[in-house]
Amino acid sequence: MTIRINLCFSSNYSSLKTLSIDGHFTFDDVHHAAKDFGNRFQLLPFAVLHPRSVSDIATTIKHIWQMGPHSQLTVAARGHGHSLQGQAQAHRGVVINMGSLQGPKMHVHSGNYSYVDVSGGELWINILHESLKYGLAPKSWTDYLHLTVGGTLSNAGISGQAFRYGPQISNVYQLEVVTGKGEVVNCSENQNGDLFHSVLGGLGQFGIITRARISLEPAPDMVKWIKVLYSDFTTFTRDQELLIYAESTFDYIEGFVIINRTGLLNNWRSSFNPQDPVQASQFESDGRTLFCLELAKYFNTDKTDTINEEVMKLLSQLRYIPSTLFLSEVSYIEFLDRVHVSEIKLWSKGVWEVPHPWLNLLVPKSKIHNFAEEVFGSILTDTSNGPILIYPVKKSKWDNRTSAVIPEEDIFYLVAFLSSAVPSSTGTDGLEHILNQNRRILEFCGTARLGFKQYLPHYTTQEEWQAHFGPQWEVFVQRKSAYDPLAILAPGQRIFQKAIPFS
């Protein structure tokens, strides 16, 4: 066995070493490619490719494709390393460092049909900075912008704008993709449309996104940023649903669950101003489960006079706890990059690089009350180990031709448990306790037949993946056979195994 492994190592090393590429491989310093934000899986690759061109990526994949099914080499594209469960790792395979990909510079096209052409390894924060120079910005975001284009488009990309514009995968005009055969293909809705829709939300299974054309809109100057609290879940969801269907509404709508937080409103005062300081100071959050509605209204500086009136008119429709209305006014870029501020604080305290056993679910509207009653009434009662997001999105804003899997109903809720575990703790803030809570939540969802789907899904068997995709599984397998028949790409998703027939 040892001799065989050494021979494979030697063969792989020499064959990759001889490839004619503009960039380079590293074979020794590969440990960084075995880490990700989840901090739970560390699978060492055989090599890391630092491409300088799309041709480097195509040459490498084509070479591995031509080696045939007997080669164990696989390929994973790694962006900014924000996968949660090793999805961008390739055990004894090749990890492509997408950040080193060089190509045509970011190009913003302004006009009636505004867009930006970007590399698949580009960060969304950089796209924001560049497009703002032209008074433009992408329509749909994620809450955290230091993620790559290829990474979010391989999943969906959801934030508080999704009720209006859909996820990021609904706001793409064109892609350049390297398939599992090493072919470089330009695709759009009208050109190679099946590959285009396969790759969007495709979990990296059909190709590596090397370039994307993203839809843009005029960008505002400023944001009215608002937080209010509810003690009743039914009222909270009623107001969220009212807002996402209203003709005149906010530009961003999200929600949070807050469990037993001491001095909550005092913490808000560092960034927000209470509408009624006296009433706010008397409000107690201790020992309670509360629901926070977070809203944003975009505006330009020449409309400062009317924005307050507009916001108060919208708020007058809602039934939040009056003493909990907090407002802030920030620049558009400051609002969109808000999570990065928290990241810097956590880095400084040394608590960013900890395990993140996140669980992201999409729950149909008709079942969200059953879900909340059990999860927030029985499973998570004393504390949470990080933010819990909960907000509705509309199915009509998603394209059912993509590979993304969502519930059947017209409205469904994203519920995201964004937990951080304290290393080596055996208490309620430890990894095992949080994973056990996640298991209990998933078991309840399955037993109660809530018709939920995982977002950023993680399964370990093909049977589980088949259940996740449901009726879409057959098409997913057909697409895999067409674009990556040897299952070379994205092995960390654990959907297909190389050289094992698909079923």
Side-chain angles (χ1 to χ4, degrees), residues 69-98:
H70 301 296
S71 161
Q72 294 300 302
L73 284 180
T74 54
V75 176
R78 184 182 193 273
H80 217 211
H82 272 266
S83 295
L84 295 168
Q85 320 228 32
Q87 287 96 332
Q89 297 177 25
H91 189 221
R92 295 180 182 166
V94 177
V95 170
I96 300 175
N97 172 21
M98 295 299 291

Side-chain angles (χ1 to χ4, degrees), residues 336-407:
L336 288 178
D337 202 26
R338 62 197 177 279
V339 177
H340 187 51
V341 176
S342 303
E343 177 190 11
I344 291 166
K345 287 178 186 172
L346 292 171
W347 266 111
S348 67
K349 294 177 184 174
V351 290
W352 182 255
E353 286 194 300
V354 298
H356 294 101
W358 287 10
L359 177 64
N360 295 271
L361 305 175
L362 303 173
V363 181
K365 172 193 163 181
S366 69
K367 306 292 186 183
I368 196 65
H369 291 86
N370 303 30
F371 177 88
E373 192 176 347
E374 176 67 19
V375 173
F376 307 129
S378 299
I379 299 175
L380 298 176
T381 52
D382 299 326
T383 185
S384 63
N385 291 291
I388 302 172
L389 275 60
I390 181 164
Y391 58 90
V393 289
K394 300 176 192 170
K395 186 179 183 181
S396 62
K397 300 296 180 182
W398 294 62
D399 189 330
N400 62 10
R401 294 170 295 180
T402 71
S403 295
V405 178
I406 57 176

Side-chain angles (χ1 to χ4, degrees), residues 188-428:
S188 64
E189 192 168 334
N190 301 316
Q191 178 191 14
N192 300 309
D194 185 64
L195 178 61
F196 178 72
H197 293 115
S198 300
V199 169
L200 293 171
L203 306 175
Q205 293 302 302
F206 312 111
I208 292 173
I209 297 170
T210 50
R211 203 148 183 85
R213 179 167 288 181
I214 311 292
S215 174
L216 301 177
E217 66 173 355
D221 302 322
M222 301 292 291
V223 174
K224 273 283 183 191
W225 189 4
I226 300 133
K227 289 185 180 182
V228 291
L229 288 177
Y230 295 75
S231 55
D232 178 64
F233 185 74
T234 301
T235 311
F236 169 67
T237 53
R238 171 213 163 265
D239 279 0
Q240 283 191 315
E241 289 165 21
L242 174 81
L243 289 173
I244 69 165
Y245 272 113
E247 206 164 301
S248 173
T249 190
F250 292 95
D251 297 294
Y252 160 99
I253 300 167
E254 286 198 11
F256 297 86
V257 182
I258 294 158
I259 301 171
N260 193 15
R261 283 276 296 280
T262 304
L264 173 65
L265 297 191
N266 281 335
N267 295 339
W268 283 6
R269 286 175 188 267
S270 61
S271 308
F272 290 78
N273 298 313
Q275 179 79 353
D276 187 328
V278 176
Q279 281 195 5
S281 65
Q282 294 168 355
F283 182 82
E284 292 288 335
S285 61
D286 311 27
R288 302 169 69 180
T289 296
L290 297 164
F291 307 97
C292 170
L293 182 55
E294 184 178 48
L295 307 162
K297 188 72 178 166
Y298 304 159
F299 67 102
N300 290 321
T301 46
D302 60 351
K303 294 281 170 55
T304 305
D305 296 343
T306 57
I307 189 67
N308 288 331
E309 187 183 327
E310 208 176 321
V311 165
M312 295 317 291
K313 188 177 177 183
L314 289 169
L315 288 172
S316 69
Q317 307 168 58
L318 310 180
R319 293 190 258 173
Y320 55 88
I321 302 167
S323 60
T324 66
L325 172 56
F326 275 62
L327 302 100
S328 181
E329 197 171 293
V330 296
S331 69
Y332 182 56
I333 199 163
E334 193 179 340
F335 172 72
L336 288 178
D337 202 26
R338 62 197 177 279
V339 177
H340 187 51
V341 176
S342 303
E343 177 190 11
I344 291 166
K345 287 178 186 172
L346 292 171
W347 266 111
S348 67
K349 294 177 184 174
V351 290
W352 182 255
E353 286 194 300
V354 298
H356 294 101
W358 287 10
L359 177 64
N360 295 271
L361 305 175
L362 303 173
V363 181
K365 172 193 163 181
S366 69
K367 306 292 186 183
I368 196 65
H369 291 86
N370 303 30
F371 177 88
E373 192 176 347
E374 176 67 19
V375 173
F376 307 129
S378 299
I379 299 175
L380 298 176
T381 52
D382 299 326
T383 185
S384 63
N385 291 291
I388 302 172
L389 275 60
I390 181 164
Y391 58 90
V393 289
K394 300 176 192 170
K395 186 179 183 181
S396 62
K397 300 296 180 182
W398 294 62
D399 189 330
N400 62 10
R401 294 170 295 180
T402 71
S403 295
V405 178
I406 57 176
E408 292 295 322
E409 294 185 13
D410 292 340
I411 295 180
F412 54 91
Y413 279 76
L414 171 72
V415 189
F417 302 90
L418 310 182
S419 305
S420 298
V422 175
S424 71
S425 169
T426 54
T428 56

